Amino acid sequence: MASAKEQIKGFYTVDDAISMDYETTRDLQLKHLNRERTLSGGCKYFIKADGTKFTDHEGKEHLDMIGAVGVASVGNNNEFIWNELEKAFRSKQYLMGAIAYHSIAAAFAHNMALVSPGGRLTKMGTATGGAEAIESVIKLVKLATRGKPERTRILSCEGAFHGKTTGAVSVGGKEKWRMYQHPLMESVDWVPYADADALEAALARGVYSAFFLEPIQGEGGIIVPPEGYLTKVRALCTKYDTLMVVDEIQAGCARTGKMWAVDHENVVPDCLVFAKGFSGGLVPFGGFICTEELYEAAYGSVETCWHHTATYQENGLSATAGIASLEFILENNLIEAAAEKGAYFIGRLKTLQEKYPTIIKEVRGKGLMIGLETYEIPDVYKEGYGDYFADPINNDLVEVYRIQVNHTLNNPAVFRFLPPLTVTLEEINYTLESFEKCIQSALAHTGRNAG
Ligand SMILES: Cc1ncc(COP(=O)(O)O)c(C=O)c1O
């Protein structure tokens, strides 16, 4: 039998791809994938990712302080997750197929119900990522409220980010990601984030089926609402018969020092959306958990149960990554670790903010979800340097100190740290020392005083 390479000139096998050099990889990526994003994103070629460390094609080591934007909560290429995935592969269970019994998906849904807020979100829908999960929740809400013709609208928050598919940008709070996709789902309104009075005024209109919110806004700039806000949201949603949907795609999975960010206020939403951290850093995954009442109202009839299907739903490999992530987090006390290391990290950053108040405007975050808002750079220094101090600092951290971080998508003044929850104190200290050097270099460049 002729090999694929013999049949198709230029064909690359997996072995070829794994050992591909930088130049070939670059050429292929620029030619066949998104050229402009690759070039403007400052991409690196990491040939190895292990825990919190990356090795690039020149053999240089980099520290992962962004975890693929919150994906690698358990670290990169975690051996435990790998082994569990391998077990699932080798079991030769039927891992695909939407319409079959799936023990691993059922077990994951069961485990998630156990760790869900108040143990009350006992039904699950799965997806292949965050935006698809959000899409499926938009539909869940619509189906569940189909008997309430006055409630055709969804309420969301200014600055919110829920993904970039058409439905997800429709409920997102940034026109930049919507502008070329109109006409969108037009039945959406927005209220300022963390403003309970504005929320009540909107909900009192009686037209909203659901209120979507991030318990901590991620891409909006790591915005932590004042304590008590989530509790108020819960009370207002109940009072005005509106479903409370929390997007924990970035803030969930132990990142903020609780399994879920809503757990900080013991709030039980009607629906919670997850993704990122439950991938084990290895397998695309997302989904929602919700109350039985909500799920049954949407899909609890023979007529409506077929209104949501997807090829990879209840996928065995994704569910394996989900179970393994939960197990690793629990057995390695990563919830407590995120709380403790996060408090230390944020505390030290706040000290730096006091020392350099002309550069850092605010340090925000909870656990290991941390953002730094910086000041705008004076116009005379902007060209080739950046609009906000976040730009040169981010750039120096990545290029000079080889620490991976990035900006928040909806707020360019802010860059953030979302390291694997396994990050060590030494790594945090190295980041802090490097960060201070970046600030000093920005001060020197712009002729500013520290205070
Ligand atoms: C809060 C939140 N929701 C949704 C998404 C979209 O997830 P995905 O990129 O997997 O579509 C993200 C991604 O960063 C997110 O942070």
Side-chain angles (χ1 to χ4, degrees):
M1 191 174 41
S3 69
K5 281 166 97 80
E6 285 160 347
Q7 291 181 49
I8 299 173
K9 193 167 173 292
F11 186 91
Y12 290 114
T13 62
V14 171
D15 282 334
D16 296 332
I18 289 173
S19 58
M20 195 173 271
D21 62 32
Y22 168 68
E23 287 72 22
T24 314
T25 303
R26 185 176 188 278
D27 289 350
L28 291 180
Q29 181 150 327
L30 296 185
K31 185 167 177 201
H32 298 295
L33 298 174
N34 190 316
R35 186 190 64 243
E36 292 308 322
R37 181 153 39 76
T38 301
L39 293 176
S40 59
C43 290
K44 307 230 171 294
Y45 184 25
F46 296 128
I47 55 169
K48 198 167 164 214
D50 188 1
T52 50
K53 299 284 189 336
F54 295 132
T55 310
D56 70 22
H57 66 286
E58 292 172 334
K60 291 183 190 137
E61 209 172 73
H62 300 249
L63 177 61
D64 183 8
M65 291 302 274
I66 191 68
V69 194
V71 169
S73 292
V74 296
N76 295 281
N77 282 318
N78 178 308
E79 284 284 333
F80 175 75
I81 312 284
W82 255 41
N83 287 335
E84 301 304 284
L85 285 168
E86 199 180 333
K87 274 186 216 161
F89 272 126
R90 298 215 179 278
S91 73
K92 292 219 169 177
Q93 267 216 10
Y94 182 51
L95 299 170
M96 292 289 151
I99 314 302
Y101 283 104
H102 292 297
S103 65
I104 308 179
F108 177 58
H110 164 85
N111 291 344
M112 285 287 268
L114 294 177
V115 301
S116 72
R120 302 252 302 279
L121 307 186
T122 58
K123 297 293 277 192
M124 175 183 284
T126 66
T128 53
E132 187 195 334
I134 290 286
E135 296 279 346
S136 66
V137 172
I138 293 172
K139 188 162 61 182
L140 174 82
V141 162
K142 287 185 176 218
L143 262 83
T145 56
R146 66 193 182 283
K148 299 177 179 175
E150 72 289 1
R151 291 189 178 265
T152 54
R153 302 190 72 75
I154 286 177
L155 190 63
S156 181
C157 293
E158 290 166 11
F161 184 78
H162 298 296
K164 288 188 184 163
T165 57
T166 304
V169 293
S170 294
V171 292
K174 185 90 172 169
E175 180 56 19
K176 181 175 175 187
W177 310 121
R178 287 196 293 267
M179 60 198 283
Y180 301 127
Q181 294 202 58
H182 290 289
L184 290 166
M185 212 178 87
E186 301 295 351
S187 51
V188 181
D189 299 306
W190 295 268
V191 283
Y193 185 64
D195 183 338
D197 293 338
L199 176 64
E200 173 145 32
L203 292 183
R205 291 175 59 203
V207 297
Y208 298 108
S209 54
F211 176 47
F212 280 55
L213 86 158
E214 294 157 87
I216 294 177
Q217 274 196 342
E219 302 303 331
I222 313 292
I223 300 179
V224 184
E227 220 175 303
Y229 172 67
L230 298 172
T231 308
K232 281 188 197 153
V233 171
R234 176 65 278 176
L236 290 171
C237 284
T238 304
K239 179 174 173 190
Y240 293 104
D241 189 24
T242 302
L243 295 161
M244 177 178 179
V245 174
V246 293
D247 177 346
E248 296 240 10
I249 289 170
Q250 195 166 137
C253 192
R255 173 140 308 273
T256 67
K258 294 274 184 190
M259 182 59 80
W260 308 109
V262 286
D263 289 345
H264 288 284
E265 294 192 27
N266 294 322
V267 159
V268 181
D270 297 288
C271 181
L272 181 155
V273 196
F274 66 89
K276 293 187 184 278
F278 286 96
S279 67
L282 288 169
V283 181
F285 197 21
F288 66 82
I289 46 176
C290 71
T291 60
E292 171 142 15
E293 191 189 359
L294 170 55
Y295 194 90
E296 288 299 306
Y299 296 121
S301 74
V302 179
E303 188 235 326
T304 56
C305 71
W306 290 97
H307 280 252
H308 189 69
T309 58
T311 304
Y312 297 113
Q313 79 189 13
E314 290 151 28
N315 179 273
L317 273 189
S318 308
T320 302
I323 295 180
S325 302
L326 262 179
E327 198 174 337
F328 189 85
I329 285 167
L330 294 171
E331 292 187 357
N332 291 279
N333 301 321
L334 291 188
I335 300 179
E336 297 76 5
E340 282 162 23
K341 290 183 230 165
Y344 170 75
F345 201 169
I346 292 173
R348 292 275 316 264
L349 287 168
K350 285 193 169 162
T351 307
L352 286 176
Q353 190 232 331
E354 281 162 21
K355 194 165 166 191
Y356 302 104
T358 61
I359 303 277
I360 311 170
K361 197 169 184 180
E362 201 176 13
V363 176
R364 299 190 286 258
K366 216 168 221 175
L368 288 169
M369 181 172 185
I370 303 170
L372 287 119
E373 179 153 356
T374 59
Y375 282 102
E376 198 172 344
I377 293 173
D379 283 347
V380 284
Y381 299 110
K382 274 188 179 159
E383 190 157 358
Y385 195 58
D387 291 335
Y388 293 91
F389 284 103
D391 295 319
I393 293 175
N394 195 343
N395 192 55
D396 282 1
L397 279 174
V398 172
E399 300 301 334
V400 181
Y401 300 100
R402 299 205 288 268
I403 299 172
Q404 289 284 303
V405 289
N406 69 18
H407 285 88
T408 54
L409 270 176
N410 288 355
N411 190 344
V414 176
F415 74 93
R416 62 183 151 188
F417 300 112
L418 294 178
L421 307 181
T422 53
V423 69
T424 63
L425 281 182
E426 291 71 39
E427 289 164 341
I428 292 174
N429 286 335
Y430 171 70
T431 304
L432 287 162
E433 281 157 29
S434 309
F435 175 62
E436 184 161 11
K437 290 181 196 154
C438 295
I439 296 176
Q440 284 163 353
S441 145
L443 285 170
H445 184 91
T446 54
R448 289 198 139 194
N449 293 322

